[in-house]
Amino acid sequence: MRQIAFIPRIGVLPVKVIQITDTHFSPSKTHFNSNWAPLLAWLETGKPDLIIHTGDLTVDGADHADDMTFCMELMRQAPAPVLIVPGNHDVGHLRGSPQPVTQTRLDRWLSLVGPDRFTCDIDGWRLIGFNSLLLGMEDENEDAQLAWLEQAFAAAGDRRIALFTHKPIFVDEPLEGDTGYWGIRPAPRARLYDLMRQHDVGLVATGHLHWAWQGTLNQTSLVWGPSAAFLIDTLEREMPGERLIGAVIHTFEGATVSSEIVAVPGMTSYYIDDVIDEVYPKPQPAGEAAE
């Protein structure tokens, strides 16, 4: 089991954590790269204590190492420590999909980006990031992460818990069926709910949907962070929330957290519909691409 990764405790209250997500940067498919400069300028002005990236760092890091190294060069420009969990375009997706999670893809992430999960303790809170793409894989990697999550939750002590991951735990309803590409499957979602019921989870912050939304589940705040790359027009169905390009400011103080979805000035609201065949062409029937 991978060891829990810590960054130094942040002792000044309140603690500002900025969540960015779904940046989809690439050195070869540069369609959304222009959004980095205004996002970086906004981060520098906002002076966060910590930045958490909730996945889809890359356009296609799942098959191209250059995408990951390019994106990590950008993340090193950030004005605060950055913790990152992977998205489906970083490590792959469900079994049977054109680009499923494999050990090769996971190892590429681990070698070029770092751990696919983390814990970070701040005053009153434990922040936990994990790899939602392992949920539903029904393999040893999923089992190992579940054991890690159980340990991370148990070790929180009297701290509240904030979860950060790529895929939302549900899209429309907490007990919905299998939403395929978009949400976590019912069986692993139920195991996650069991853990949440046993502990004081105050926040679940995710990305993936390219919609911005806030809601609650019992006493837990739910936030879908807006993409920093593109919106989806008519390629997919309407989802809860609103279409915007931006980020989320999470402010932790004592036992409370407040979350503000922000449309970042200067960023361009690209639509994937306009460039889908260039950015994500239909895959050829073959094995994993070469690096």
Side-chain angles (χ1 to χ4, degrees), residues 53-286:
H53 194 307
T54 49
D56 280 358
L57 173 68
T58 66
V59 164
D60 192 15
D63 277 336
H64 297 283
D66 286 352
D67 272 27
M68 286 194 181
T69 55
F70 174 81
C71 290
M72 289 307 293
E73 289 172 3
L74 297 182
M75 294 302 109
R76 282 189 280 273
Q77 299 172 18
V82 181
L83 298 175
I84 312 173
V85 293
N88 50 291
H89 290 290
D90 304 317
V91 297
H93 206 202
L94 301 169
R95 292 185 188 277
S97 69
Q99 197 176 46
V101 176
T102 64
Q103 192 61 52
T104 297
R105 292 181 168 122
L106 290 172
D107 288 344
R108 185 180 296 119
W109 174 274
L110 295 173
S111 65
L112 297 177
V113 178
D116 62 351
R117 63 200 72 163
F118 66 81
T119 67
C120 173
D121 291 339
I122 61 177
D123 287 333
W125 289 82
R126 165 161 284 196
L127 314 182
I128 300 176
F130 66 96
N131 183 354
S132 59
L133 284 311
L134 297 180
L135 301 182
M137 293 301 291
E138 300 179 344
D139 62 8
E140 62 182 12
N141 285 319
E142 182 181 13
D143 292 342
Q145 180 171 252
L146 179 60
W148 181 91
L149 278 170
E150 291 172 347
Q151 176 184 337
F153 271 69
D158 59 359
R159 292 184 288 264
R160 303 193 75 194
I161 291 172
L163 298 177
F164 294 86
T165 195
H166 185 59
K167 296 181 74 172
I169 50 179
F170 66 85
V171 178
D172 297 295
E173 300 291 343
L175 299 179
E176 66 193 9
D178 189 345
T179 55
Y181 180 88
W182 293 114
I184 293 173
R185 287 178 166 174
R189 183 176 64 221
R191 291 194 290 273
L192 190 57
Y193 282 164
D194 285 343
L195 270 176
M196 291 173 65
R197 278 191 290 268
Q198 297 170 39
H199 300 274
D200 184 8
V201 178
L203 173 67
V204 179
T206 58
H208 186 53
L209 299 183
H210 293 253
W211 287 79
W213 175 83
Q214 290 181 265
T216 58
L217 176 64
N218 299 323
Q219 302 303 310
T220 302
S221 295
L222 307 177
V223 178
W224 299 350
S227 169
F230 61 81
L231 306 173
I232 305 172
D233 189 11
T234 60
L235 284 176
E236 296 290 343
R237 68 177 177 90
E238 294 273 328
M239 295 189 189
E242 62 180 318
R243 292 184 177 96
L244 64 87
I245 296 296
V248 187
I249 301 172
H250 302 286
T251 303
F252 294 86
E253 185 164 16
T256 68
V257 59
S258 60
S259 301
E260 179 188 3
I261 295 172
V262 178
V264 175
M267 297 182 76
T268 300
S269 297
Y270 296 105
Y271 279 89
I272 190 62
D273 309 50
D274 299 332
V275 293
I276 184 67
D277 293 329
E278 298 172 23
V279 179
Y280 292 116
K282 293 181 180 178
Q284 299 298 315

